[in-house]
């Protein structure tokens, strides 16, 4: 098996850490295998030092539980190549906002406070269509939050406009409201294999099977 590794760019601003880019790498190719749009970065950390204040640093990171689940999803989508150890490329991980915090509710509250204080802006967290166009698909999975604030609603709309402009096929497991999408890595371990199967089927419906 071609064992994947993860890389990310982090920056500090004030007391807070932002993960501004991240991808999971199989082999050496820079070709995109796909992408996902989640809520915010979780618990992955650099193998080396924390970035200095107001500076960015890029390097190899630990794989957090969400990344491990995304590895399983990508390898299930590209099953023959994964089994043969010939899978080559990158899964790119995007977030509605880049403030790092493993607790979603806490992250949202802090992000909104930083917006209100003028310490960050919505535009700083959006990836534009000219970059998104390189992806064969995008998984939507920012979670089933019962209450969505105005900043989060605006972020989703901005992201969806850029994705639509790029023409990237999307899929995800819709929440009951139909406006949000289940996170690909549920907290309950017993649910992780179930949603994995659902997401592979949803990918095949949106993009066609690549498993032969």
């Amino acid at each position: 098996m071609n064992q994947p590794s993860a890389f990310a760019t982090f920056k500090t601003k004030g007391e807070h850490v932002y993960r501004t880019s991240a991808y999971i790498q199989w082999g050496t190719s820079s070709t995109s295998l796909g992408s996902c749009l989640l809520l915010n970065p979780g618990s992955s950390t650099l193998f080396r030092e924390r970035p200095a204040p107001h500076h960015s640093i890029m390097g190899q990171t630990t794989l957090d539980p969400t990344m491990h689940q995304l590895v399983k999803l990508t390898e299930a989508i590209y099953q023959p190549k994964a089994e043969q150890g010939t899978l080559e490329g990158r899964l790119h991980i995007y977030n509605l906002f880049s403030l790092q915090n493993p607790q979603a509710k806490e992250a949202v509250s802090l992000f909104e406070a930083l917006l209100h204080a003028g310490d960050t802006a919505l535009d700083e967290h959006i990836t534009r269509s000219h970059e998104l166009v390189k992806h064969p698909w995008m998984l939507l999975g920012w979670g089933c939050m019962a209450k969505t604030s105005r900043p989060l609603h605006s972020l989703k709309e901005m992201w969806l406009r850029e994705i639509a402009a790029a023409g990237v096929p999307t899929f995800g497991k819709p929440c009951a409201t139909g406006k949000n999408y289940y996170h690909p890595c549920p907290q309950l371990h017993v649910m992780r294999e179930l949603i994995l199967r659902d997401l592979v089927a949803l990918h095949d419906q949106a993009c066609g099977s690549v498993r032969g």
Side-chain angles (χ1 to χ4, degrees), residues 56-123:
S56 295
I57 187 169
M58 192 270 184
Q60 189 171 356
T61 73
T62 58
L63 274 77
D64 62 20
T66 294
M67 288 181 174
H68 281 292
Q69 182 78 341
L70 292 172
V71 165
K72 291 181 179 180
L73 173 64
T74 306
E75 292 182 346
I77 288 172
Y78 296 98
Q79 188 174 0
K81 289 185 176 181
E83 289 177 345
Q84 296 161 16
T86 59
L87 186 58
E88 288 272 342
R90 296 174 178 177
L91 176 76
H92 291 258
I93 303 171
Y94 298 105
N95 299 98
L96 290 180
F97 60 94
S98 60
L99 177 66
Q100 186 170 35
N101 191 313
Q103 302 298 322
K105 289 183 179 179
E106 193 175 297
V108 170
S109 295
L110 178 56
F111 177 65
E112 290 174 345
L114 292 170
L115 283 172
H116 183 72
D119 292 332
T120 190
L122 295 180
D123 277 347

Side-chain angles (χ1 to χ4, degrees), residues 11-96:
K11 74 173 184 179
T12 56
K13 192 174 181 181
E15 300 178 355
H16 307 293
V17 177
Y18 296 81
R19 193 184 75 191
T20 56
S21 69
Y23 62 88
I24 301 172
Q25 176 79 51
W26 286 262
T28 58
S29 173
S30 61
T31 299
S32 175
L33 295 170
S35 59
C36 59
L37 178 58
L38 309 180
L39 179 64
N40 74 295
S43 57
S44 65
T45 57
L46 282 169
F47 284 143
R48 53 185 180 147
E49 72 275 9
R50 174 188 171 106
H54 305 292
H55 287 76
S56 295
I57 187 169
M58 192 270 184
Q60 189 171 356
T61 73
T62 58
L63 274 77
D64 62 20
T66 294
M67 288 181 174
H68 281 292
Q69 182 78 341
L70 292 172
V71 165
K72 291 181 179 180
L73 173 64
T74 306
E75 292 182 346
I77 288 172
Y78 296 98
Q79 188 174 0
K81 289 185 176 181
E83 289 177 345
Q84 296 161 16
T86 59
L87 186 58
E88 288 272 342
R90 296 174 178 177
L91 176 76
H92 291 258
I93 303 171
Y94 298 105
N95 299 98
L96 290 180

Side-chain angles (χ1 to χ4, degrees), residues 125 135 196:
H125 302 269
H135 303 305
L196 193 65

Side-chain angles (χ1 to χ4, degrees), residues 173-191:
K173 184 174 181 179
C175 306
T177 61
K179 296 180 180 179
N180 293 311
Y181 297 87
Y182 281 95
H183 192 277
C185 188
Q187 291 186 346
L188 290 176
H189 285 259
V190 70
M191 299 299 296

